[in-house]
mmCIF file of all heavy atoms in Angstrom:
data_model
loop_
_atom_site.group_PDB
_atom_site.id
_atom_site.type_symbol
_atom_site.label_atom_id
_atom_site.label_comp_id
_atom_site.label_asym_id
_atom_site.label_seq_id
_atom_site.Cartn_x
_atom_site.Cartn_y
_atom_site.Cartn_z
ATOM 1 N N MET O 791 4.682 0.107 0.548
ATOM 2 C CA MET O 791 3.491 -0.449 -0.104
ATOM 3 C C MET O 791 3.815 -0.887 -1.532
ATOM 4 O O MET O 791 3.494 -2.004 -1.937
ATOM 5 C CB MET O 791 2.367 0.590 -0.116
ATOM 6 C CG MET O 791 1.066 0.129 -0.763
ATOM 7 S SD MET O 791 0.924 0.335 -2.575
ATOM 8 C CE MET O 791 1.221 2.056 -2.806
ATOM 9 N N ALA O 792 4.471 -0.022 -2.294
ATOM 10 C CA ALA O 792 4.790 -0.341 -3.688
ATOM 11 C C ALA O 792 5.724 -1.545 -3.772
ATOM 12 O O ALA O 792 5.552 -2.421 -4.625
ATOM 13 C CB ALA O 792 5.396 0.872 -4.374
ATOM 14 N N GLN O 793 6.690 -1.605 -2.871
ATOM 15 C CA GLN O 793 7.606 -2.744 -2.858
ATOM 16 C C GLN O 793 6.870 -4.036 -2.523
ATOM 17 O O GLN O 793 7.137 -5.086 -3.129
ATOM 18 C CB GLN O 793 8.749 -2.501 -1.868
ATOM 19 C CG GLN O 793 9.706 -1.428 -2.339
ATOM 20 C CD GLN O 793 10.736 -1.021 -1.289
ATOM 21 O OE1 GLN O 793 10.575 -1.291 -0.092
ATOM 22 N NE2 GLN O 793 11.807 -0.368 -1.735
ATOM 23 N N GLU O 794 5.936 -3.969 -1.590
ATOM 24 C CA GLU O 794 5.144 -5.142 -1.229
ATOM 25 C C GLU O 794 4.306 -5.619 -2.420
ATOM 26 O O GLU O 794 4.227 -6.819 -2.698
ATOM 27 C CB GLU O 794 4.230 -4.832 -0.039
ATOM 28 C CG GLU O 794 4.966 -4.636 1.278
ATOM 29 C CD GLU O 794 5.614 -5.899 1.781
ATOM 30 O OE1 GLU O 794 4.915 -6.922 1.930
ATOM 31 O OE2 GLU O 794 6.837 -5.867 2.021
ATOM 32 N N VAL O 795 3.686 -4.676 -3.118
ATOM 33 C CA VAL O 795 2.840 -5.033 -4.257
ATOM 34 C C VAL O 795 3.692 -5.568 -5.405
ATOM 35 O O VAL O 795 3.387 -6.616 -5.986
ATOM 36 C CB VAL O 795 1.989 -3.822 -4.711
ATOM 37 C CG1 VAL O 795 1.274 -4.114 -6.026
ATOM 38 C CG2 VAL O 795 0.976 -3.460 -3.620
ATOM 39 N N LEU O 796 4.767 -4.861 -5.753
ATOM 40 C CA LEU O 796 5.601 -5.293 -6.876
ATOM 41 C C LEU O 796 6.296 -6.631 -6.621
ATOM 42 O O LEU O 796 6.569 -7.380 -7.554
ATOM 43 C CB LEU O 796 6.633 -4.214 -7.213
ATOM 44 C CG LEU O 796 6.061 -2.944 -7.842
ATOM 45 C CD1 LEU O 796 7.116 -1.859 -7.919
ATOM 46 C CD2 LEU O 796 5.460 -3.232 -9.218
ATOM 47 N N SER O 797 6.563 -6.928 -5.363
ATOM 48 C CA SER O 797 7.211 -8.203 -5.030
ATOM 49 C C SER O 797 6.212 -9.349 -5.003
ATOM 50 O O SER O 797 6.609 -10.509 -4.964
ATOM 51 C CB SER O 797 7.902 -8.106 -3.676
ATOM 52 O OG SER O 797 6.931 -8.059 -2.643
ATOM 53 N N GLY O 798 4.921 -9.022 -4.983
ATOM 54 C CA GLY O 798 3.899 -10.061 -4.924
ATOM 55 C C GLY O 798 3.537 -10.494 -3.515
ATOM 56 O O GLY O 798 2.736 -11.399 -3.334
ATOM 57 N N ARG O 799 4.122 -9.849 -2.507
ATOM 58 C CA ARG O 799 3.798 -10.220 -1.128
ATOM 59 C C ARG O 799 2.424 -9.716 -0.710
ATOM 60 O O ARG O 799 1.853 -10.192 0.262
ATOM 61 C CB ARG O 799 4.870 -9.687 -0.171
ATOM 62 C CG ARG O 799 6.204 -10.409 -0.306
ATOM 63 C CD ARG O 799 7.199 -9.966 0.729
ATOM 64 N NE ARG O 799 7.562 -8.571 0.612
ATOM 65 C CZ ARG O 799 8.606 -8.105 -0.084
ATOM 66 N NH1 ARG O 799 9.388 -8.942 -0.726
ATOM 67 N NH2 ARG O 799 8.870 -6.812 -0.123
ATOM 68 N N MET O 800 1.890 -8.733 -1.459
ATOM 69 C CA MET O 800 0.596 -8.149 -1.124
ATOM 70 C C MET O 800 -0.078 -7.699 -2.421
ATOM 71 O O MET O 800 0.580 -7.146 -3.305
ATOM 72 C CB MET O 800 0.817 -6.945 -0.197
ATOM 73 C CG MET O 800 -0.453 -6.230 0.217
ATOM 74 S SD MET O 800 -0.099 -4.839 1.335
ATOM 75 C CE MET O 800 0.240 -5.715 2.848
ATOM 76 N N GLY O 801 -1.370 -7.925 -2.531
ATOM 77 C CA GLY O 801 -2.113 -7.448 -3.678
ATOM 78 C C GLY O 801 -2.393 -5.954 -3.549
ATOM 79 O O GLY O 801 -2.411 -5.408 -2.441
ATOM 80 N N LEU O 802 -2.609 -5.283 -4.663
ATOM 81 C CA LEU O 802 -2.856 -3.845 -4.645
ATOM 82 C C LEU O 802 -4.132 -3.504 -3.890
ATOM 83 O O LEU O 802 -4.161 -2.553 -3.104
ATOM 84 C CB LEU O 802 -2.900 -3.287 -6.066
ATOM 85 C CG LEU O 802 -2.982 -1.779 -6.211
ATOM 86 C CD1 LEU O 802 -1.834 -1.087 -5.472
ATOM 87 C CD2 LEU O 802 -2.954 -1.384 -7.685
ATOM 88 N N ARG O 803 -5.177 -4.282 -4.073
ATOM 89 C CA ARG O 803 -6.425 -4.035 -3.336
ATOM 90 C C ARG O 803 -6.210 -4.208 -1.834
ATOM 91 O O ARG O 803 -6.726 -3.443 -1.029
ATOM 92 C CB ARG O 803 -7.531 -4.957 -3.823
ATOM 93 C CG ARG O 803 -8.018 -4.626 -5.209
ATOM 94 C CD ARG O 803 -9.190 -5.518 -5.588
ATOM 95 N NE ARG O 803 -9.518 -5.400 -6.979
ATOM 96 C CZ ARG O 803 -10.289 -4.444 -7.502
ATOM 97 N NH1 ARG O 803 -10.796 -3.524 -6.713
ATOM 98 N NH2 ARG O 803 -10.543 -4.405 -8.781
ATOM 99 N N GLU O 804 -5.464 -5.213 -1.478
ATOM 100 C CA GLU O 804 -5.145 -5.464 -0.070
ATOM 101 C C GLU O 804 -4.354 -4.286 0.511
ATOM 102 O O GLU O 804 -4.623 -3.806 1.612
ATOM 103 C CB GLU O 804 -4.345 -6.753 0.034
ATOM 104 C CG GLU O 804 -4.007 -7.201 1.412
ATOM 105 C CD GLU O 804 -3.177 -8.481 1.412
ATOM 106 O OE1 GLU O 804 -2.878 -9.037 0.337
ATOM 107 O OE2 GLU O 804 -2.829 -8.901 2.520
ATOM 108 N N ALA O 805 -3.370 -3.801 -0.252
ATOM 109 C CA ALA O 805 -2.535 -2.684 0.203
ATOM 110 C C ALA O 805 -3.364 -1.419 0.410
ATOM 111 O O ALA O 805 -3.110 -0.644 1.330
ATOM 112 C CB ALA O 805 -1.417 -2.423 -0.798
ATOM 113 N N ALA O 806 -4.378 -1.225 -0.416
ATOM 114 C CA ALA O 806 -5.220 -0.036 -0.292
ATOM 115 C C ALA O 806 -5.997 -0.016 1.016
ATOM 116 O O ALA O 806 -6.434 1.046 1.468
ATOM 117 C CB ALA O 806 -6.181 0.043 -1.479
ATOM 118 N N ASN O 807 -6.145 -1.180 1.625
ATOM 119 C CA ASN O 807 -6.874 -1.278 2.893
ATOM 120 C C ASN O 807 -5.989 -1.110 4.122
ATOM 121 O O ASN O 807 -6.480 -1.153 5.245
ATOM 122 C CB ASN O 807 -7.622 -2.614 2.967
ATOM 123 C CG ASN O 807 -8.779 -2.653 1.993
ATOM 124 O OD1 ASN O 807 -9.471 -1.665 1.791
ATOM 125 N ND2 ASN O 807 -8.965 -3.797 1.367
ATOM 126 N N VAL O 808 -4.699 -0.924 3.927
ATOM 127 C CA VAL O 808 -3.780 -0.704 5.049
ATOM 128 C C VAL O 808 -3.806 0.786 5.371
ATOM 129 O O VAL O 808 -3.467 1.622 4.536
ATOM 130 C CB VAL O 808 -2.354 -1.180 4.706
ATOM 131 C CG1 VAL O 808 -1.370 -0.831 5.815
ATOM 132 C CG2 VAL O 808 -2.354 -2.675 4.411
ATOM 133 N N SER O 809 -4.207 1.119 6.583
ATOM 134 C CA SER O 809 -4.424 2.529 6.929
ATOM 135 C C SER O 809 -3.175 3.390 6.781
ATOM 136 O O SER O 809 -3.266 4.530 6.322
ATOM 137 C CB SER O 809 -4.998 2.655 8.342
ATOM 138 O OG SER O 809 -4.088 2.135 9.292
ATOM 139 N N ALA O 810 -2.008 2.882 7.133
ATOM 140 C CA ALA O 810 -0.781 3.685 7.010
ATOM 141 C C ALA O 810 -0.519 4.046 5.550
ATOM 142 O O ALA O 810 -0.101 5.171 5.240
ATOM 143 C CB ALA O 810 0.413 2.930 7.585
ATOM 144 N N TYR O 811 -0.773 3.111 4.651
ATOM 145 C CA TYR O 811 -0.574 3.378 3.228
ATOM 146 C C TYR O 811 -1.614 4.369 2.716
ATOM 147 O O TYR O 811 -1.301 5.308 1.987
ATOM 148 C CB TYR O 811 -0.653 2.087 2.417
ATOM 149 C CG TYR O 811 0.359 1.024 2.774
ATOM 150 C CD1 TYR O 811 0.112 -0.304 2.458
ATOM 151 C CD2 TYR O 811 1.560 1.322 3.412
ATOM 152 C CE1 TYR O 811 1.030 -1.312 2.756
ATOM 153 C CE2 TYR O 811 2.483 0.335 3.724
ATOM 154 C CZ TYR O 811 2.209 -0.980 3.388
ATOM 155 O OH TYR O 811 3.116 -1.968 3.682
ATOM 156 N N ALA O 812 -2.858 4.141 3.100
ATOM 157 C CA ALA O 812 -3.944 5.012 2.646
ATOM 158 C C ALA O 812 -3.757 6.442 3.141
ATOM 159 O O ALA O 812 -3.964 7.403 2.392
ATOM 160 C CB ALA O 812 -5.283 4.458 3.109
ATOM 161 N N GLU O 813 -3.338 6.576 4.383
ATOM 162 C CA GLU O 813 -3.138 7.923 4.936
ATOM 163 C C GLU O 813 -2.052 8.680 4.181
ATOM 164 O O GLU O 813 -2.208 9.855 3.861
ATOM 165 C CB GLU O 813 -2.783 7.826 6.424
ATOM 166 C CG GLU O 813 -3.956 7.429 7.292
ATOM 167 C CD GLU O 813 -3.550 7.070 8.715
ATOM 168 O OE1 GLU O 813 -2.382 7.314 9.108
ATOM 169 O OE2 GLU O 813 -4.415 6.533 9.435
ATOM 170 N N GLN O 814 -0.947 8.014 3.881
ATOM 171 C CA GLN O 814 0.116 8.702 3.155
ATOM 172 C C GLN O 814 -0.304 8.984 1.713
ATOM 173 O O GLN O 814 0.051 10.013 1.163
ATOM 174 C CB GLN O 814 1.434 7.933 3.191
ATOM 175 C CG GLN O 814 2.581 8.790 2.658
ATOM 176 C CD GLN O 814 3.943 8.267 3.016
ATOM 177 O OE1 GLN O 814 4.140 7.067 3.153
ATOM 178 N NE2 GLN O 814 4.892 9.175 3.163
ATOM 179 N N ALA O 815 -1.082 8.101 1.123
ATOM 180 C CA ALA O 815 -1.564 8.345 -0.241
ATOM 181 C C ALA O 815 -2.448 9.588 -0.274
ATOM 182 O O ALA O 815 -2.319 10.435 -1.165
ATOM 183 C CB ALA O 815 -2.330 7.125 -0.758
ATOM 184 N N VAL O 816 -3.343 9.712 0.698
ATOM 185 C CA VAL O 816 -4.209 10.890 0.784
ATOM 186 C C VAL O 816 -3.371 12.149 1.001
ATOM 187 O O VAL O 816 -3.586 13.179 0.359
ATOM 188 C CB VAL O 816 -5.271 10.721 1.900
ATOM 189 C CG1 VAL O 816 -5.997 12.020 2.177
ATOM 190 C CG2 VAL O 816 -6.257 9.618 1.522
ATOM 191 N N GLU O 817 -2.395 12.056 1.892
ATOM 192 C CA GLU O 817 -1.522 13.194 2.177
ATOM 193 C C GLU O 817 -0.758 13.628 0.923
ATOM 194 O O GLU O 817 -0.659 14.823 0.631
ATOM 195 C CB GLU O 817 -0.529 12.790 3.272
ATOM 196 C CG GLU O 817 0.408 13.885 3.708
ATOM 197 C CD GLU O 817 1.356 13.389 4.789
ATOM 198 O OE1 GLU O 817 0.877 12.836 5.799
ATOM 199 O OE2 GLU O 817 2.576 13.563 4.598
ATOM 200 N N GLN O 818 -0.237 12.655 0.175
ATOM 201 C CA GLN O 818 0.528 12.968 -1.038
ATOM 202 C C GLN O 818 -0.373 13.503 -2.154
ATOM 203 O O GLN O 818 0.071 14.295 -2.989
ATOM 204 C CB GLN O 818 1.280 11.724 -1.533
ATOM 205 C CG GLN O 818 2.377 11.270 -0.609
ATOM 206 C CD GLN O 818 3.530 12.255 -0.567
ATOM 207 O OE1 GLN O 818 3.931 12.826 -1.574
ATOM 208 N NE2 GLN O 818 4.060 12.483 0.621
#
């Protein structure tokens, strides 16, 4: 997720809506 956002391939708000990313963020 961070690599996608930092590279500009995905916006941070968009990344927050990806369930795999959100689940790991909650877990961490």
Side-chain angles (χ1 to χ4, degrees):
M791 180 274 304
Q793 290 172 343
E794 290 293 305
V795 171
L796 290 170
S797 71
R799 290 186 297 267
M800 179 179 284
L802 187 56
R803 290 184 191 277
E804 184 181 359
N807 290 322
V808 174
S809 62
Y811 300 158
E813 288 169 11
Q814 191 164 31
V816 169
E817 182 180 307
Q818 293 292 320

